[in-house]
Amino acid sequence: MIFTNPIALLLLPLALLPLVLGTQRQEAYPSLAGFEPDGLSLALAWALRLAGMAAILGLILGIAGIGVRERSVERFGQGAHIVLLIDRSASMNDTFAGRQPSGEEESKSSAAKRLIKDFIVEREHDRFGVAAFSTAPMHVVPITDHKDIVLEAIDAIDRPGLAFTDVGRGLGMGLSMIQEDVLQGSRAIILVSDGVAVIGRRVQEALRAEFARRPVNLYFLYLRTEGANSMFAEPPPGTEDTPQALPERHLNKFFQSLRIPYRAYEAESAEAIKGAIADIGKLEQTPLVYTERIPQYDLSRWAYAVAALALGLLLAGKLCERTIKRAGVMHAA
């Protein structure tokens, strides 16, 4: 427990006043010898005294700012530490048909956002981080178990992006986020991109060194636009087979050469994205131990609620008091 205004606790002895001072109107009687003991009346009298004590105690604790301090809880489950690396290039704003969204059509980024959010909500024990990239990488949210923050970050991935796709630096950002996470468990990067990117030689060598130092499961979700080249297709004889001519194919070949657990998915519709994400979810089911940070929680509102309820009972008791007139003598009931 913590108190934001602990000096108010000096008023706690006031909670004993209802034991000394009555809560009901006092009436004089010549003698009580003729009255039989009334258990119900005694119970009501003590209930009103206790309500008075609760009212005073609730008000004092509310003024003192009672709360529960921040704490950490160790959790166990099945899942992974996952970095969602989202392509924010301008081409992601188009539909799978390669045109601007209109009517019931949705852009590739909107479809990916909707289905990734469902994936996050369904994964009870996973911890997620979010990074985005286009001309430059952007560290959005570090790996965390607070899914509300992650979901809000995902809500921003369909904002208009820039033209260039620097997937190499984006992967470097995702790896740095993985390295900053010190908790034990399986680690994965899910790269969501429409794939038109070339990684330079120097960046490739740097990425090889980083992946070799700390192996990570890599998933490439390629959102293929209608008419675009497949990253799995072999080029026809006589066709130029270079990263500049067939960037999707050579990006996939580079990932295959990293000697890490790697899977590629080619999605041409929202349903294909859904299937790929479901498959990734089945693969990332390793035992996971993580620590959840529970923020400070203010209890003063509950203290005031208890005080209000107790004061309501006292008011009801006061309104129920009656005066009975017998033989010209007024008695309080």
Side-chain angles (χ1 to χ4, degrees):
M1 291 291 180
I2 58 172
F3 298 92
T4 58
N5 185 27
I7 196 171
L9 297 177
L10 296 175
L11 300 175
L12 282 176
L14 295 178
L16 299 176
L17 284 179
L19 297 178
V20 180
L21 304 176
T23 59
Q24 296 171 286
R25 183 172 54 194
Q26 299 294 317
E27 295 288 347
Y29 288 90
S31 174
L32 297 177
F35 289 91
E36 296 182 1
D38 184 358
L40 178 59
S41 297
L42 289 174
L44 290 175
W46 275 104
L48 292 174
R49 290 178 183 271
L50 293 176
M53 294 177 65
I56 296 173
L57 187 62
L59 290 172
I60 294 173
L61 292 178
I63 294 172
I66 187 172
V68 179
R69 69 173 64 251
E70 179 183 338
R71 61 197 187 279
S72 298
V73 180
E74 194 173 62
R75 305 288 191 190
F76 302 88
Q78 297 283 329
H81 307 282
I82 300 174
V83 171
L84 299 167
L85 185 57
I86 312 297
D87 183 357
R88 284 304 310 123
S89 60
S91 57
M92 290 286 288
N93 299 326
D94 296 334
T95 66
F96 285 96
R99 54 177 176 263
Q100 288 294 313
S102 61
E104 296 181 355
E105 292 182 313
E106 61 179 347
S107 66
K108 288 176 282 187
S109 62
S110 295
K113 178 191 79 169
R114 174 171 55 82
L115 295 169
I116 288 174
K117 287 179 66 176
D118 292 341
F119 174 71
I120 293 171
V121 172
E122 292 170 359
R123 303 285 290 185
E124 183 178 357
H125 302 293
D126 286 0
R127 301 174 70 244
F128 290 94
V130 181
F133 67 95
S134 56
T135 302
M138 180 184 299
H139 189 294
V140 182
V141 175
I143 296 177
T144 177
D145 48 25
H146 294 288
K147 294 186 177 180
D148 52 343
I149 299 176
V150 178
L151 292 172
E152 290 176 3
I154 296 298
D155 276 332
I157 70 171
D158 61 351
R159 299 296 186 268
L162 302 177
F164 191 61
T165 306
D166 193 345
V167 66
R169 293 175 63 193
L171 276 172
M173 175 70 72
L175 285 169
S176 67
M177 293 171 63
I178 290 289
Q179 292 170 1
E180 291 170 1
D181 183 37
V182 298
L183 296 181
Q184 295 182 351
S186 175
R187 287 167 169 76
I189 294 177
I190 300 178
L191 170 61
V192 182
S193 173
D194 55 5
V196 184
V198 177
I199 302 178
R201 286 288 181 184
R202 291 185 178 180
V203 178
Q204 284 188 15
E205 294 306 317
L207 289 174
R208 288 185 195 278
E210 291 296 325
F211 276 110
R213 184 167 58 181
R214 190 167 191 179
V216 176
N217 299 337
L218 178 61
Y219 301 94
F220 180 22
L221 182 51
Y222 172 39
L223 308 185
R224 182 186 175 192
T225 306
E226 183 179 337
N229 295 319
S230 170
M231 63 177 170
F232 303 121
E234 293 287 338
T239 304
E240 185 180 3
D241 188 9
T242 64
Q244 288 71 27
L246 300 172
E248 303 87 355
R249 166 177 160 77
H250 284 269
L251 186 62
N252 182 51
K253 288 179 65 176
F254 168 67
F255 291 154
Q256 290 174 335
S257 70
L258 291 174
R259 297 181 180 178
I260 59 172
Y262 166 66
R263 281 179 177 261
Y265 301 89
E266 196 168 82
E268 300 178 350
S269 64
E271 286 300 317
I273 297 176
K274 184 177 181 180
I277 291 176
D279 189 59
I280 295 172
K282 294 176 182 178
L283 294 171
E284 291 297 332
Q285 290 288 349
T286 57
L288 188 66
V289 180
Y290 63 96
T291 301
E292 180 181 357
R293 293 180 61 190
I294 300 177
Q296 178 178 319
Y297 185 73
D298 182 20
L299 293 175
S300 59
R301 70 189 74 176
W302 297 106
Y304 286 128
V306 170
L309 179 60
L311 288 172
L313 291 175
L314 290 173
L315 178 61
K318 182 61 64 176
L319 294 176
C320 287
E321 286 186 350
R322 293 292 183 268
T323 300
I324 301 175
K325 183 177 180 181
R326 290 183 179 178
V329 180
M330 301 290 291
H331 295 283

